[in-house]
Amino acid sequence: MTEKGKGGKKEISTDEKYSQWKTLVPILYDWLANHNLVWPSLSCRWGPLLEEATYKNRQRLYLSEQTDGSVPNTLVIANVEIVKPRVAAAEHISQFNEESRSPFVRKFKTIIHPGEVNRIRELPQNSNIVATHTDSPDVYIWDVESQPNRPANMGALASRPDLTLTGHQDDAEFALAMCSSEPLVLSGGKDKSVVLWSIHDHISTLATEPGSGKSNNSGSNIKKAGNGNSDNPSIGPRGIYQGHEDTVEDVQFCPSSAQQFCSVGDDSCLILWDARVGLAPVIKVEKAHNADLHCVDWNPHDENLILTGSADNSINLFDRRNLTASGVGSPVHKFQGHDAPVLCVQWSPHNRSIFGSAAEDGLLNIWDYEKVSKMESESGDKKSNHPAGLFFKHAGHRDKVVDFHWNSIDPWTLVSVSDDCSSSAGGGTLQIWRVIDLLYRPEDEVLAELDKFRSHVTTCASQPTKDAQPSA
């Protein structure tokens, strides 16, 4: 049933929005795979490319299973078949059942995780190595290739992490990042601290990509760590950074410096840090939003641009050149297109101005900040219903979208997961999708291509159908 909104107009229900979206799938998407999950997944990340064929690629995908306790919580390693651009037929794209499991997604290995997997991050130097957060102070490091496959049976013992990172004094559940240039790990937690580790000195081959020539052993070969137990190695932090006044919800490294990073938290603060100058904040923006901050990301193409997402339903774009040590600074732009708290923001690895945002309203929005000024100038004094910068709205999930990840190998392809427990019999939804290229290619190219089909379309439209009768 629909309900009346504040303005007296009927608001469209989630089911109605979803039904409308399904009719547009063959038009808006180049490819889409829908996979019904037995258990919700709070995180999804792309792994390495396994095989490239003529019409599709096979790639690793990391997921989690957040169970009800009847079976163990797991870290799932899956193999995914990704259909290449302009290969899938529109008929195939439209024929999916949201209650079925996609043949494109196959579970490869299960790691029994010591607690729920709240966050997964892969090591850029070797994407077979992942870090996980759970409801504990520790961060776990896993070599997913050398870890044995463990059936998730009741009573089964948890898998043993390849390395445990210690240093938090309270649970660290979500804030987790890995550095693009060095094997550094960053974390934040309920102890209001940001913790930095270097795993380089304790691991001989975890940070070496198989086949790189640095090592012939693709498995994990962890050196005896500081606790003196080679069976359960662990390391302490390189630095513990204090400056937040509430839980740290997300962290991110600067793309051009392993020593610089940022963090956001429930204190509404955005903090920039520099390990070279000490443990205190370099810049602290006291009121980055009007509510808790849930997520942050640093532009990999422009180190001055930082995104933040908040419980106030908005995304702020900051230019760090406008920020000062006294905490003064306003966002370059506030993006408003969600009706619920924003849970995840992420820049595209391929396009400088493109980013995505996922929220509790079930939407995954794609934005282009370079279009903001153009849209605002075109609208003038008229109030537009279309948020400035909004490029594409993915409405394929029927509940809150808890995580998504751009594919660094296949541009414009994303994976997203939603927690559907409140709107279904339980479980979650995994979707892998690619928008149709007519939406993002240069306008002149698109018009030229469409013009090729003009005569065909007009000819078909002018011809009478079989049952049509000629007019008198």
Side-chain angles (χ1 to χ4, degrees):
M1 296 290 291
T2 57
E3 298 179 356
K4 287 188 177 181
K6 293 180 181 178
K9 295 181 180 179
K10 284 188 176 180
E11 294 181 348
I12 302 175
S13 69
T14 301
D15 288 341
E16 287 175 318
K17 288 180 181 177
Y18 181 75
S19 297
Q20 291 177 1
W21 170 80
K22 282 190 70 174
T23 64
L24 297 173
V25 167
I27 302 170
L28 298 177
Y29 296 85
D30 181 68
W31 182 61
L32 185 142
N34 188 93
H35 190 70
N36 183 46
L37 300 170
V38 177
W39 302 106
S41 177
L42 296 182
S43 192
C44 58
R45 301 292 290 187
W46 291 109
L49 178 67
L50 301 175
E51 182 182 0
E52 185 171 1
T54 304
Y55 299 109
K56 58 186 178 181
N57 294 333
R58 189 159 59 93
Q59 191 171 349
R60 282 272 195 266
L61 182 68
Y62 304 129
L63 302 165
S64 64
E65 290 181 324
Q66 183 187 24
T67 72
D68 61 0
S70 60
V71 293
N73 293 286
T74 61
L75 170 63
V76 176
I77 297 90
N79 291 341
V80 178
E81 305 287 344
I82 303 173
V83 176
K84 289 191 174 182
R86 297 201 167 197
V87 170
E91 181 182 8
H92 169 76
I93 297 172
S94 64
Q95 291 179 346
F96 71 86
N97 181 350
E98 54 267 19
E99 302 302 329
S100 65
R101 315 201 79 189
S102 172
F104 294 101
V105 181
R106 297 183 182 276
K107 186 181 291 188
F108 170 71
K109 184 183 289 187
T110 299
I111 295 172
I112 299 180
H113 198 270
E116 296 177 351
V117 181
N118 298 329
R119 191 65 57 92
I120 306 168
R121 290 292 180 265
E122 73 286 354
L123 185 66
Q125 298 86 40
N126 181 356
S127 52
N128 288 325
I129 309 304
V130 301
T132 58
H133 255 325
T134 187
D135 298 338
S136 85
D138 297 332
V139 179
Y140 300 122
I141 305 295
W142 308 87
D143 182 343
V144 298
E145 288 301 307
S146 66
Q147 281 283 336
N149 184 33
R150 302 282 297 279
N153 300 324
M154 190 60 188
L157 295 176
S159 302
R160 181 178 296 164
D162 292 282
L163 187 65
T164 300
L165 311 183
T166 64
H168 278 293
Q169 301 304 309
D170 202 345
D171 289 351
E173 299 173 306
F174 294 103
L176 184 64
M178 283 184 154
C179 180
S180 61
S181 58
E182 297 180 31
L184 301 176
V185 182
L186 198 63
S187 170
K190 290 183 177 179
D191 57 3
K192 308 174 188 177
S193 64
V194 174
V195 184
L196 175 68
W197 294 270
S198 172
I199 59 177
H200 184 271
D201 296 335
H202 298 270
I203 301 169
S204 59
T205 58
L206 268 179
T208 303
E209 190 74 57
S212 66
K214 295 182 182 179
S215 174
N216 293 323
N217 182 6
S218 62
S220 63
N221 182 16
I222 301 176
K223 296 180 180 179
K224 192 172 182 179
N227 64 357
N229 187 347
S230 59
D231 292 331
N232 295 284
S234 65
I235 59 172
R238 171 179 286 190
I240 299 178
Y241 300 82
Q242 303 285 351
H244 282 284
E245 297 175 6
D246 207 333
T247 300
V248 180
E249 293 287 355
D250 201 9
V251 291
Q252 189 58 259
F253 281 97
C254 174
S256 62
S257 171
Q259 305 303 315
Q260 299 179 66
F261 40 91
C262 63
S263 60
V264 296
D266 289 344
D267 55 3
S268 302
C269 292
L270 163 65
I271 299 182
L272 274 62
W273 312 84
D274 191 331
R276 297 168 297 186
V277 299
L279 301 175
V282 174
I283 296 175
K284 183 174 183 179
V285 182
E286 296 280 358
K287 203 73 177 175
H289 283 263
N290 294 321
D292 299 353
L293 272 72
H294 291 157
C295 47
V296 65
D297 197 26
W298 211 316
N299 193 320
H301 310 282
D302 186 340
E303 63 180 31
N304 292 310
L305 300 181
I306 298 173
L307 285 172
T308 56
S310 170
D312 66 6
N313 307 351
S314 70
I315 302 116
N316 280 350
L317 173 62
F318 290 95
D319 187 327
R320 69 170 175 170
R321 292 169 295 188
N322 298 339
L323 307 177
T324 65
S326 60
V328 178
S330 58
V332 175
H333 186 77
K334 180 183 286 289
F335 297 88
Q336 296 177 307
H338 287 289
D339 297 324
V342 178
L343 302 178
C344 182
V345 291
Q346 188 184 132
W347 291 101
S348 165
H350 301 280
N351 300 277
R352 178 183 180 274
S353 63
I354 301 291
F355 67 90
S357 63
E360 290 186 7
D361 57 7
L363 296 176
L364 201 171
N365 290 337
I366 305 298
W367 307 82
D368 186 347
Y369 80 79
E370 288 186 345
K371 296 184 181 297
V372 169
S373 57
K374 180 181 178 182
M375 293 175 67
E376 288 177 339
S377 62
E378 288 177 350
S379 61
D381 296 331
K382 298 178 182 178
K383 187 175 180 180
S384 174
N385 292 324
H386 190 72
L390 184 59
F391 172 78
F392 186 84
K393 185 181 291 186
H394 178 66
H397 292 282
R398 291 169 292 169
D399 214 317
K400 58 183 178 182
V401 182
V402 292
D403 199 15
F404 73 94
H405 193 201
W406 293 90
N407 193 318
S408 62
I409 299 170
D410 191 349
W412 293 99
T413 296
L414 296 93
V415 59
S416 50
V417 287
S418 57
D419 183 348
D420 301 340
C421 286
S422 61
S423 61
S424 64
T429 300
L430 163 73
Q431 291 183 341
I432 304 169
W433 47 279
R434 182 193 304 115
V435 298
I436 192 167
D437 63 0
L438 294 178
L439 296 178
Y440 57 80
R441 283 167 52 201
E443 186 176 344
D444 55 344
E445 284 186 21
V446 173
L447 293 176
E449 181 166 331
L450 291 176
D451 193 54
K452 294 178 183 178
F453 299 97
R454 178 187 296 180
S455 59
H456 174 73
V457 173
T458 54
T459 300
C460 291
S462 63
Q463 299 217 355
T465 60
K466 260 188 191 175
D467 299 327
Q469 296 294 325
S471 58

